[in-house]
Amino acid sequence: MDSIKSKWLFSCVLCSISMLVLNGQVTTVSVKIPGTPVVIDPMIYGQMLEDCNDKIIYGGLINENGTENVAVNELLKPLDMPVMRWPGGTYAHEYDWRKGIGPKEERPSVEEFAWKGIETHQFGTDEFLQWCVRVGTEPYINFNMGNDPVYGASLGDALGWIEYVNGSTETTFGKKRAFNGHEKPYGVKYWGIGNENYGPWGRHTAETAKQYAERLHRWASAIRFQYPDLQLLGVGYIYQWNDTVLHRNGDVIDFLTKHFYMTAKVNDGKLQNPEYTLFSPVKVEVHLRKNIELLKEVNQRFNRIDQPIRFSIDEWNCRHSVFAGETYQFTRNDARRQFDVVTIAGMLNVFIRQSPYVGMANYIFPVNGHGIIRTVGERDAYKTPIYYVFELYRKYMVGNKLNLEIKGEEITLPVKELAVEGAISDELNKGDVSLHYIDGTAVMTDEEVIHVALINRSHLKKQRIRIEVPKDYLPVTMWKIESNDINSANSENERDNISLQTIDLSGKHLKSTIVMASCGFTLIQYKKRNNDK
């Protein structure tokens, strides 16, 4: 992490505003403390692993022999990842957990149908759970609920997996776990029942909402009967699907999952139609707000006020499609760029604003494909620009959310054109929406420290910002992630091309404005006058 701790630097930033900003317009950001505190669940900063044949697990976390890349672990540990979902994803529809336990030399290698790679089963249940302990994250296991007659799994398979993971040594599968070297139960709390069952993905035939709702109720009821303390996640989708699933299962699940993928078209290394990508989290928020109304109604109906069902955004990222001569082709291997800092922080801002109804979110993936870090060989790795976003949000954007009012320059965009794929209802993709170039959120920690996170969604112009905070609060530290080129990225040979800047404000009052670069990110920490140590 690059650190710049200089009053002089900050003064230079303020003095050079007139030379940096076009039009001279000022955006005002007002932070206010609400009467009723709303806690942000840190589980919104989760991650996900899936063997997608893009060196995420094999060639990422571990090599083909099962040896871990220590450099990957050392970069992931400081992120304090709250939860890790595994084994998928689309691949879950064909995953047989029994093939991934026991002596490694006896585990079969199979060709994946979903992603056309080779699953060696060297990273199985025990390896995943023990890796989670080493990097300090909470495991979340997703069942195979596929309906393929050969590769789909049964409720009995699911119950057996729970028993293997959590059962005592008095149980059949608990004994097998102990025999395989781990006598103590793992105590995994989070279990997902299905994955995108509405679609014909991988080894699965699409189900209707009613079909899935009935199957989910059978599975969840049986699991809940034997393991009442587990947290169960059911599959969500568009509003109508969610309505059917929730009203059938409001008494047996704890989360409803949703998947959102922002998209970006890259040609010759440059983002195309930038507004539609940079403002894409807005479409996600439109759909979440509508579905939150449904969630409230279901929680009321099933008397779940004290233990409400919440949303888990189980899969999300910004997918890049790169122009390949005639068409744009999706790839997980395009570099994470400065503009991705804005899309990723924009989504995290949505999750914060929609707390507590969004209670978990899992970015895909931490390593390589779309990753926050990228590997070099089997022993090395480096940070992409979005690494710093997750690092800052996990460390500082926790506690209670604050009210944030933004007044400033706006742009009007059609909701339909905002670049998002996934759990999107067509009836909500209508009309235009007026949006500020500056987006942000604010939180207050238990120690009454305020953190304000801001992004500049303009790809062309720097923005001048005035921040108003409650009385007696003074700025202490400012962090920035920015570049002169919104398309720039880090690489094996230029690992610090985009890095985190830390500026010590030493309690200096921000009477003037700050400047944010195009596609820039800024986080400012404020403390009370009598709490500045």
Side-chain angles (χ1 to χ4, degrees), residues 12-27 409 437-438 456 458 460-466 480 482 513-518:
C12 289
V13 170
L14 295 178
C15 292
S16 60
I17 287 172
S18 59
M19 294 182 288
L20 293 174
V21 184
L22 298 176
N23 299 333
Q25 296 188 15
V26 177
T27 294
E409 186 177 1
Y437 279 104
I438 297 299
N456 177 10
S458 172
L460 295 174
K461 296 194 303 182
K462 297 176 173 67
Q463 298 288 325
R464 182 191 295 176
I465 303 154
R466 179 183 297 111
K480 303 179 76 173
E482 59 183 31
T513 54
I514 64 170
V515 170
M516 292 186 66
S518 54

Side-chain angles (χ1 to χ4, degrees), residues 64 88 143-144 147 196 210 243 245 257 272 304 366 394 410 422 430 478 500:
E64 295 303 325
F143 294 123
N144 176 346
N147 54 17
E196 296 183 359
K210 185 176 180 180
D243 187 35
V245 171
T257 66
Q272 307 299 301
R304 297 286 300 264
R394 180 65 183 96
E410 296 183 348
K430 297 178 181 179
M478 177 163 63
L500 184 62

Side-chain angles (χ1 to χ4, degrees), residues 129-260:
L129 296 177
Q130 292 167 26
W131 177 83
C132 285
V133 172
R134 281 192 287 278
V135 299
T137 189
E138 182 94 6
Y140 158 19
I141 293 178
N142 210 111
F143 294 123
N144 176 346
M145 201 198 192
N147 54 17
D148 185 273
V150 176
Y151 296 93
S154 68
L155 172 58
D157 294 323
L159 290 169
W161 203 355
I162 298 174
E163 185 174 288
Y164 181 85
V165 170
N166 290 349
S168 74
T169 53
E170 299 300 314
T171 64
T172 300
F173 284 112
K175 289 179 182 178
K176 187 178 288 289
R177 180 195 65 244
F179 180 78
N180 289 336
H182 201 278
E183 183 173 355
K184 183 180 178 181
Y186 288 105
V188 173
K189 181 194 298 185
Y190 299 97
W191 298 82
I193 307 177
N195 175 79
E196 296 183 359
N197 289 53
Y198 46 82
W201 321 130
R203 298 286 192 182
H204 184 75
T205 301
E207 297 175 74
T208 66
K210 185 176 180 180
Q211 288 172 331
Y212 173 72
E214 291 300 326
R215 281 217 300 156
L216 174 61
H217 196 269
R218 288 195 297 273
W219 281 48
S221 297
I223 294 169
R224 183 73 70 200
F225 179 78
Q226 289 190 234
Y227 304 96
D229 296 329
L230 297 185
Q231 294 278 296
L232 304 181
L233 296 90
V235 173
Y237 184 38
I238 59 177
Y239 185 90
Q240 294 81 359
W241 170 285
N242 297 340
D243 187 35
T244 300
V245 171
L246 283 171
H247 280 94
R248 183 69 180 98
N249 293 278
D251 57 337
V252 292
I253 64 171
D254 301 286
F255 288 88
L256 192 71
T257 66
K258 294 177 75 66
H259 297 178
F260 294 108

Side-chain angles (χ1 to χ4, degrees), residues 55-87:
K55 295 186 176 182
I56 293 146
I57 295 178
Y58 303 109
L61 293 186
I62 64 175
N63 64 19
E64 295 303 325
N65 297 321
T67 303
E68 293 180 6
N69 185 328
V70 177
V72 168
N73 289 356
E74 292 308 305
L75 287 177
L76 291 180
K77 286 177 184 178
L79 295 179
D80 191 19
M81 301 173 295
V83 64
M84 184 69 65
R85 180 180 177 228
W86 171 86

Side-chain angles (χ1 to χ4, degrees), residues 244-497:
T244 300
V245 171
L246 283 171
H247 280 94
R248 183 69 180 98
N249 293 278
D251 57 337
V252 292
I253 64 171
D254 301 286
F255 288 88
L256 192 71
T257 66
K258 294 177 75 66
H259 297 178
F260 294 108
Y261 291 98
M262 299 172 287
T263 63
K265 291 184 176 180
V266 178
N267 187 357
D268 195 25
K270 295 180 174 58
L271 176 64
Q272 307 299 301
N273 304 317
E275 289 91 353
Y276 296 150
T277 293
L278 298 175
F279 286 86
S280 57
V282 172
K283 179 182 281 191
V284 173
E285 193 157 20
V286 167
H287 290 261
L288 279 176
R289 284 176 179 150
K290 176 66 174 177
N291 282 274
I292 284 170
E293 295 174 8
L294 172 62
L295 207 58
K296 291 178 180 179
E297 184 267 317
V298 170
N299 282 326
Q300 185 73 38
R301 176 176 177 178
F302 286 91
N303 195 27
R304 297 286 300 264
I305 305 304
D306 294 332
Q307 295 181 311
I309 302 170
R310 296 180 292 167
F311 286 123
S312 175
I313 315 305
D314 252 14
E315 296 182 19
W316 72 277
N317 63 29
C318 184
R319 285 177 164 174
H320 292 195
S321 293
V322 176
F323 191 70
E326 296 183 355
T327 60
Y328 284 92
Q329 295 183 2
F330 164 68
T331 175
R332 296 188 182 91
N333 297 314
D334 192 48
R336 298 298 95 179
R337 304 169 184 271
Q338 178 65 39
F339 70 75
D340 288 297
V341 168
V342 171
T343 61
I344 300 308
M347 282 288 278
L348 294 177
N349 287 343
V350 170
F351 302 156
I352 290 173
R353 278 194 294 267
Q354 299 310 317
S355 295
Y357 307 105
V358 175
M360 184 192 294
N362 300 304
Y363 179 85
I364 65 170
F365 300 97
V367 183
N368 290 328
H370 314 297
I372 58 179
I373 63 175
R374 296 189 71 85
T375 59
V376 180
E378 296 182 354
R379 298 183 180 179
D380 195 9
Y382 63 89
K383 303 172 183 178
T384 72
I386 65 174
Y387 179 97
Y388 304 110
V389 178
F390 281 100
E391 182 181 35
L392 289 172
Y393 273 79
R394 180 65 183 96
K395 187 173 183 179
Y396 298 111
M397 300 303 288
V398 292
N400 296 328
K401 71 175 181 179
L402 302 180
N403 294 334
L404 200 72
E405 182 180 1
I406 299 176
K407 295 181 180 179
E409 186 177 1
E410 296 183 348
I411 183 175
T412 300
L413 296 171
V415 174
K416 183 178 181 180
E417 297 301 324
L418 299 178
V420 180
E421 298 173 348
I424 301 297
S425 301
D426 289 339
E427 63 271 18
L428 297 180
N429 285 339
K430 297 178 181 179
D432 296 337
V433 59
S434 294
L435 306 163
H436 295 103
Y437 279 104
I438 297 299
D439 177 56
T441 50
V443 304
M444 177 180 284
T445 68
D446 293 339
E447 295 76 26
E448 296 188 314
V449 176
I450 290 176
H451 295 116
V452 181
L454 302 172
I455 54 174
N456 177 10
R457 297 183 285 194
S458 172
H459 66 289
L460 295 174
K461 296 194 303 182
K462 297 176 173 67
Q463 298 288 325
R464 182 191 295 176
I465 303 154
R466 179 183 297 111
I467 304 175
E468 300 173 350
V469 296
K471 184 180 178 181
D472 293 330
Y473 273 89
L474 297 175
V476 176
T477 308
M478 177 163 63
W479 295 271
K480 303 179 76 173
I481 309 169
E482 59 183 31
S483 172
N484 292 328
D485 180 1
I486 71 167
N487 300 292
S488 62
N490 292 344
S491 65
E492 176 184 352
N493 297 320
E494 292 184 302
R495 301 188 180 198
D496 295 321
N497 189 30

